[in-house]
Amino acid sequence: MDDVVALGELLVDFTFAGNSQSGMRLFEQNPGGAPANVLTALSRLGIKAALIGKVGDDMQGRFLRDALNRDGINTQSLLLDQNYFTTLAFVDIDKDGERSFSFARKPGADNMLRKEEIDERLIREAKIFHIGALSLTGDPSRAATFQALEIARKAGCIISYDPNYRAPLWESKEAAVKEMRSVLQYVDVVKISDEETDLLTPEKDPELAGRYLIDHGVKAVFVTLGGNGACIVNRDGSDYQPAVPGKVIDKNGAGDAFLGGVLYRLCKEERKIEDLSLAQLSDFARFGNEIASLCIARHGAIPSMPTLQEVREKLGENF
């Protein structure tokens, strides 16, 4: 049995890594994809994790499968498809660690997962089922996502959601808003950035956006605020956790590391999420901020996720 099962994209991040001797820009091959990033963060913290998804039966797809296997993530439901290429992302990073993206995905294998390929048993046995929004950009993966959400809801899983908006992968902003909001009826935990609040809700302000989601059935909302930390909202109100100071090299994967920390703490809880206090959820966010601070001090997304030992060394008795 796996504690956390995620469905969604697994792709290669070709991340800017300096210049060659001849002055040409170099891009480093890194495993990535938001759901896979979250699972890696969890697995390195000692949580049993599994991914449901699809990659191409090509050198990139096998590279990604092997990367997850090395981190102990269950890949029995990661399919390799000979008919489609693995999705590629090209990530540029500026002097402040901020990112910009270009994608090769028309379509990518991740978007071709079919609902009949969903492993129902894997979902039913999980404590937490997690999705992103990129599987909602088109069918057949959109239909597969809703099928998986129905299975998770009937099984009583905690359902976690991070929309992870990437404008180039959507037909239009309006289509993205419609589809990203379409799954909220299933969701217990939402992690969004302050740049996504008015995509998932009518509100831009983090607290108001969080309140809107709580009023529409979500039980816990975490809004990441970059260098300003995170806003936490539940039925009792809202709270803020400051960012953890530290060196910033590459912000790629920071939100996924944060969510990995939150879900780690949730996995360790025996109580239902609706029974957790605002103070407890705020402490989850504090822990998530610590994980993110370790992540952004290194290059890449999956390669930068900290291990359990690194977290223990950083937090000591506060772990």
Side-chain angles (χ1 to χ4, degrees), residues 23-40:
M24 304 303 292
R25 306 181 79 213
L26 299 174
F27 286 79
E28 182 179 63
Q29 181 193 41
N30 284 307
N37 295 345
V38 172
L39 292 183
T40 302

Side-chain angles (χ1 to χ4, degrees), residues 10-12 14 29 54-66 78-88 104 107-110:
L10 175 63
L11 49 82
V12 174
F14 283 108
Q29 181 193 41
K54 182 177 283 191
V55 292
D57 189 4
D58 51 36
M59 69 170 66
Q60 310 291 1
R62 290 186 289 275
F63 162 76
L64 292 169
R65 178 197 58 195
D66 293 346
L78 175 64
L79 306 178
L80 275 67
D81 194 321
Q82 294 181 343
N83 298 312
Y84 302 97
F85 287 108
T86 300
T87 296
L88 308 178
D110 66 290

